[in-house]
Amino acid sequence: MRRSIIAAAGIVQLAVADWQYKSRTDLAPPRLNITIPAADNVEKGYLFVAPFAGFHDTATEQHGPRQAGPYIFRDNGDLVWSGYGIYSIWSTNFQAARWKGQDVLFSFEGDHNAGYGHGHGHTTIMDQHYETIRELRAGNHKLTDKHEFHVVSDNTAVIQIYQPVPYDLTAWGASEEQQWIVNAIFQELDMSTGEMLFEWASLDHVTPYEAVLPLNPGQAGSGYNSSDAWDYFHINSVDKNTDGDYLISARDACSVHKISGSDGSIMWRLDGKNSSFTLGKNVTFCFQHHARFHPELKSENEGDNIEYISLYDNSAHGTEDGRGTEVHTAPTSSGKIIKLDTDAWTAELVQGFYPPDNLRSKSQGSTQLLPNGNVIVNWGSEGALTEYDSKGNVLFHFYMDSGYLDLGVENYRGFRYNWTGLPNEEPAIVALENDEGTTVYVSWNGDTETKTWRFYAVTGKYGAKSFLGEAPRVSFETALEIPNKQVMHVVAEAVDARGKVLRSTGVAKLEPEILPATAGKKTPTFVVQDEGQQAWMELK
Ligand SMILES: *[C@@H]1O[C@H](CO)[C@@H](O)[C@H](O)[C@H]1NC(C)=O
Ligand SMILES: *[C@@H]1O[C@H](CO)[C@@H](O)[C@H](O)[C@H]1NC(C)=O
Ligand SMILES: *[C@@H]1O[C@H](CO)[C@@H](O)[C@H](O)[C@H]1NC(C)=O
Ligand SMILES: *[C@@H]1O[C@H](CO)[C@@H](O)[C@H](O)[C@H]1NC(C)=O
Ligand SMILES: *[C@@H]1O[C@H](CO)[C@@H](O)[C@H](O)[C@H]1NC(C)=O
């Protein structure tokens, strides 16, 4: 008799890696705290996030996630790929993209200066086999910042840089010793050669007059040295349109600027101290992120004077400890789609996307417009993500490790993308025997194609295989209980939707199973019940 079970119901302790996966005891991915399960009309695709601990651990409080890094998840919180330790150092802005007709992943990797919100590093690009195929650095002897990497044509991408430079700041209230400012720079790079094709520097075009945060300790730097340079402008996103012009979000000017691709001049400013537009109701934003052009929203009868953009409006600024309550300009953060008219010089809100639980994030965040009209808003320092329909109705909401799961998780940007992952590494397998029988567990980090796992006993000198059973793949890890007969060695094969064998595991030798010593203890537990469903339970 052959029996196949779906081993998605592994019971684990919280806040530690222990017992999450039998075949990958080293992995402790964040657990998604899904407070509004995905509705039927969410967009197709996987979730791309890179959660990290926003706070240092203290003697009395630990902050999650235990394994900060880039992750791909399904809507039910099931892990597809853990990039922990693969994209190393500090990783953020993790996305899928197309590069010269190829599906790729990219992420910023580098050092993170949380106090100033700056990163220093490079962009690493991987192929569908999770192999690094390119590392891109900034041009002109500079270091790439963490905020932006955005593929804007078949073979070019935009990045940005925070370059500290000495500057005469006396006109802005500086003492003699306050001599450092951050020049906010962006570049467009050829992704194949790394050649710098365009460079724009804020100090050539924008004076500190536009700064909303004064030269002052604890705000945006006080200018006493290069690591404390006054971050008067703070670009955090760059986009490019088909006319060859750029759109930048300048957080510390509370404005979005359109930049001419031919001479770098400022074509218009939206909001901030010197807005080119009259703002309609709820258009105003501050400390915003992730401004993007959206030519696809234009209807046929709208002329060249009409432009659509989206952005993430934090509406808040402040310290980690104060949770951004020090300065805020709206009751909550929000995602925004804005229509601009450069004849009438008016800006109107097309749609606002307001958060469940009145979230207000003092840092980070993104707003992604999806092909079916839905919108994903990622709430930055609040470590949460929401999907909406085009009218702003909430379809899906989750936190990344929150509540008693783990505290203080933050996530810079969050996206939904389609992705086909074909890992180069072999699938992992373990065969565990206890009093009740033997169970074989398999997983394959990053694989999206396996539909069924087939299990075989390996016998005899020549490794002859005899079929033990099969199990549908419904979760990161799949298990098969096997009858207690003379089985000592087991292998499994990953089979795709068309019945093709993708890959075989190595041979697993039966091992005695060590069970979690939680019986009798009252411990919160995590159970993925089945596809589309997740539940939190207390052990009796
Ligand atoms: C830079 O200036 C800040 C603010 O005055 C100070 O806290 C910091 O210690 C200085 N760093 C160095 C390396 O001098
Ligand atoms: C305000 O914007 C206009 C263009 O719209 C520009 O000519 C002017 O220099 C700006 N003022 C300041 C103080 O930046
Ligand atoms: C305008 O903003 C307020 C406060 O954030 C919000 O409650 C309201 O629904 C918004 N109105 C529109 C039309 O977006
Ligand atoms: C999930 O998030 C909610 C809202 O922040 C929180 O109240 C709850 O405790 C969290 N659940 C878990 C299991 O951490
Ligand atoms: C994923 O692919 C499906 C099918 O082609 C498409 O309908 C959907 O819009 C895609 N999702 C994303 C996030 O691009």
Side-chain angles (χ1 to χ4, degrees), residues 121-178:
H122 56 262
T123 306
T124 303
I125 301 170
M126 281 187 189
D127 63 13
Q128 288 180 279
H129 310 295
Y130 302 96
E131 297 292 347
T132 298
I133 50 172
R134 189 87 183 89
E135 223 184 78
L136 267 177
R137 303 181 196 132
N140 258 350
H141 322 290
K142 298 185 178 82
L143 293 166
T144 301
D145 169 62
K146 66 179 175 172
H147 284 88
E148 190 64 282
F149 184 86
H150 183 38
V151 179
V152 292
S153 74
D154 190 45
N155 187 37
T156 68
V158 284
I159 58 154
Q160 51 156 109
I161 294 139
Y162 296 125
Q163 188 75 359
V165 291
Y167 196 80
D168 180 359
L169 294 170
T170 47
W172 316 102
S175 71
E176 259 181 24
E177 297 82 50
Q178 291 172 292

Side-chain angles (χ1 to χ4, degrees), residues 232-407:
Y232 82 110
F233 199 54
H234 191 98
I235 299 178
N236 56 26
S237 74
V238 190
D239 194 7
K240 188 185 187 186
N241 67 13
T242 49
D243 298 337
D245 299 320
Y246 300 92
L247 186 73
I248 59 172
S249 158
R251 178 194 157 101
D252 290 354
C254 292
S255 68
V256 164
H257 293 56
K258 186 177 178 184
I259 309 290
S260 161
S262 44
D263 63 6
S265 63
I266 294 169
M267 299 170 75
W268 47 248
R269 295 171 179 83
L270 174 65
D271 213 351
K273 284 193 184 167
N274 191 16
S275 182
S276 314
F277 298 90
T278 306
L279 308 184
K281 188 173 179 339
N282 278 13
V283 170
T284 192
F285 50 83
C286 210
F287 307 112
Q288 78 290 338
H289 285 81
H290 201 221
R292 290 286 187 252
F293 285 122
H294 289 289
E296 79 281 5
L297 295 181
K298 244 169 105 156
S299 59
E300 274 176 33
N301 57 6
E302 288 175 328
D304 289 345
N305 58 317
I306 302 298
E307 292 180 76
Y308 288 85
I309 66 161
S310 65
L311 54 82
Y312 176 73
D313 178 15
N314 296 68
S315 290
H317 171 80
T319 60
E320 292 286 348
D321 298 344
R323 310 299 293 145
T325 48
E326 291 93 337
V327 181
H328 63 93
T329 54
T332 70
S333 301
S334 58
K336 286 181 175 173
I337 298 175
I338 298 167
K339 179 180 172 180
L340 306 171
D341 182 337
T342 54
D343 279 345
W345 293 103
T346 54
E348 70 180 81
L349 187 75
V350 177
Q351 185 65 55
F353 300 90
Y354 299 94
D357 305 336
N358 293 318
L359 298 175
R360 191 167 61 213
S361 65
K362 56 148 187 57
S363 67
Q364 312 158 74
S366 59
T367 298
Q368 181 194 20
L369 273 55
L370 296 163
N372 73 349
N374 287 359
V375 170
I376 280 191
V377 178
N378 173 72
W379 307 98
S381 56
E382 301 310 293
L385 185 148
T386 312
E387 183 164 336
Y388 299 85
D389 67 15
S390 59
K391 299 283 167 243
N393 300 306
V394 174
L395 305 176
F396 182 32
H397 182 75
F398 66 84
Y399 295 86
M400 286 154 250
D401 274 358
S402 70
Y404 54 75
L405 290 175
D406 239 336
L407 298 167

